[in-house]
Amino acid sequence: MAKANFFMVELLETAISREIPYEGLKDKIVEVIDNNATKYNDFWVIELSKENELHYVADIFEYKTNYLFMRISKQKPSGGFIYRDYETNEPESLLNGVNETKKGIEIYTYALLDYGTGILSIVNQQGAPNHRVINYLFSKYDVNYSMNFVPIANKKGIERIYLAQEPCISQIEVEVPVPDAETLEKLFHWKGKNVLDMQGKKLKAVMKVSSVERKVITDDEDETKRIIDSMKSCLTEYTKARIRAKAKSIKTQDYNFFDDNFAYEVHVPRYTLLDGEKHYYSADELVSVYRQGLFEAYEESKDILKAITNR
């Protein structure tokens, strides 16, 4: 699983730091890409690097519709990677003797911007470029404008559920301190040796409460508020805590009490099974996998995101 984080994008007139309507994002971004990107088959490539630094490059797969969908790459020094032949286990250098300015190895992530709401979704990928690199579209090619990215606060999502009409909770999940040996023995009927063996490993204990037959735990506003208030008051006793909830005009969504920013888990499979064997997706194949995952994450969260941002 990967995480998608969401940002409210503000469009600024750089010289006077004046915010202008986000609805203008599409025209400005389309103009930059039209004038500066290179077309390769069915996508466009635009250089985002600043002078005298390793490369940042964006591959644009969609930008003239209602969305900007892109892969943002960051060059990594090739000396940090090796190529290995697994039949012989012999290692080799990658791009040995090739100047880093000519060819390189890149790590990447994907981003989706809905022009209609000005909300950006980006996969949280360790080591890959973050959302700020997208502003290089303007800082490199049109300094008259810039983008400001405002993280969408997770607590505002919980507040929306708390104050919403007809809220209900369908699942509660908390991570609690691991029980002592005596409790583990009683719960799982383990023998003493099993308990000692398990305690030597890194363990976590998760308690999950859900309703039966796809019903809800609460369907009353006061009851829902009491549960949320109780969980907030006990956060020092939990390692993790989240609820799955919905309300009138708000789809079912997970709310994590420990996340500062609103996030959604994205299912990004790395392989598929062909004749019982793992077939790992190529970088080209992963484009459609990430596209589907990001669109699903955004569509599932869109109503609450619009409510939080008033867009």
Side-chain angles (χ1 to χ4, degrees):
M1 284 286 188
K3 266 189 178 180
N5 286 108
F6 301 96
F7 297 85
M8 181 173 67
V9 182
E10 297 173 340
L11 180 62
L12 304 177
E13 198 170 351
T14 310
I16 54 177
S17 296
R18 180 175 67 92
E19 185 179 355
I20 56 181
Y22 66 86
E23 289 87 352
L25 276 167
K26 179 177 181 178
D27 288 343
K28 302 302 179 188
I29 289 173
V30 168
E31 183 178 355
V32 166
I33 296 173
D34 276 349
N35 293 336
N36 300 284
T38 302
K39 180 79 180 293
Y40 289 99
N41 298 322
D42 56 350
F43 66 98
W44 296 259
V45 177
I46 187 166
E47 173 76 51
L48 299 178
S49 311
K50 295 180 180 178
E51 193 174 354
N52 297 322
E53 69 173 8
L54 292 175
H55 290 274
Y56 287 96
V57 181
D59 300 320
I60 313 289
F61 302 100
E62 181 177 348
Y63 74 101
K64 289 188 176 181
T65 62
N66 296 324
Y67 301 94
L68 168 68
F69 175 58
M70 63 197 302
R71 176 173 62 200
I72 320 165
S73 299
K74 177 182 180 181
Q75 184 184 8
K76 305 289 282 186
S78 56
F81 299 85
I82 59 172
Y83 166 83
R84 189 183 299 274
D85 181 339
Y86 291 112
E87 292 186 355
T88 65
N89 280 336
E90 181 182 0
E92 294 180 28
S93 298
L94 281 174
L95 302 177
N96 194 26
V98 176
N99 191 300
E100 299 281 4
T101 61
K102 295 183 177 179
K103 290 186 179 180
I105 306 298
E106 298 180 346
I107 186 169
Y108 59 82
T109 191
Y110 284 86
L112 173 72
L113 173 62
D114 181 352
Y115 293 130
T117 60
I119 294 174
L120 174 76
S121 319
I122 185 165
V123 177
N124 189 0
Q125 191 104 310
Q126 188 173 9
N130 61 32
H131 56 281
R132 295 182 185 88
V133 174
I134 299 172
N135 191 50
Y136 291 5
L137 286 168
F138 290 124
S139 63
K140 187 176 177 70
Y141 297 107
D142 188 349
V143 295
N144 294 311
Y145 299 94
S146 62
M147 287 183 278
N148 184 40
F149 302 92
V150 182
I152 297 177
N154 180 59
K155 65 180 181 179
K156 290 187 178 180
I158 298 173
E159 287 170 4
R160 294 290 302 188
I161 286 292
Y162 189 88
L163 300 173
Q165 294 181 345
E166 302 175 20
C168 59
I169 297 173
S170 58
Q171 184 172 288
I172 300 169
E173 183 177 338
V174 295
E175 189 173 309
V176 295
V178 177
D180 58 27
E182 185 180 352
T183 305
L184 288 173
E185 202 167 355
K186 287 180 180 178
L187 282 172
F188 299 104
H189 305 288
W190 288 341
K191 295 180 181 179
K193 183 180 183 304
N194 296 135
V195 175
L196 290 172
D197 288 344
M198 292 301 294
Q199 284 190 317
K201 301 175 182 177
K202 191 172 182 180
L203 302 177
K204 67 177 180 179
V206 178
M207 185 177 71
K208 185 182 291 186
V209 180
S210 57
S211 56
V212 296
E213 299 176 355
R214 296 186 179 182
K215 294 183 180 178
V216 294
I217 297 172
T218 67
D219 56 5
D220 174 81
E221 289 185 22
D222 291 335
E223 194 174 19
T224 298
K225 287 182 178 180
R226 280 198 298 271
I227 287 180
I228 293 174
D229 285 336
S230 296
M231 293 185 72
K232 283 182 176 179
S233 68
C234 295
L235 291 182
T236 55
E237 300 176 29
Y238 305 143
T239 308
K240 294 180 181 177
R242 65 181 178 182
I243 59 171
R244 182 167 296 163
K246 68 177 181 178
K248 186 176 181 180
S249 302
I250 301 175
K251 295 178 182 178
T252 300
Q253 173 74 47
D254 285 343
Y255 299 90
N256 191 322
F257 287 85
F258 284 85
D259 281 347
D260 291 329
N261 300 325
F262 198 88
Y264 191 95
E265 288 190 344
V266 182
H267 181 57
V268 183
R270 291 291 179 177
Y271 62 85
T272 186
L273 291 176
L274 296 176
D275 298 325
E277 294 186 1
K278 290 181 180 178
H279 165 72
Y280 285 90
Y281 292 121
S282 66
D284 289 341
E285 291 171 324
L286 279 172
V287 174
S288 59
V289 173
Y290 272 97
R291 179 189 176 92
Q292 180 177 345
L294 260 182
F295 267 91
E296 286 179 358
Y298 175 66
E299 285 299 321
E300 283 295 318
S301 308
K302 187 175 181 178
D303 290 343
I304 186 69
L305 292 171
K306 288 174 65 178
I308 294 171
T309 58
N310 293 317
R311 288 189 169 182

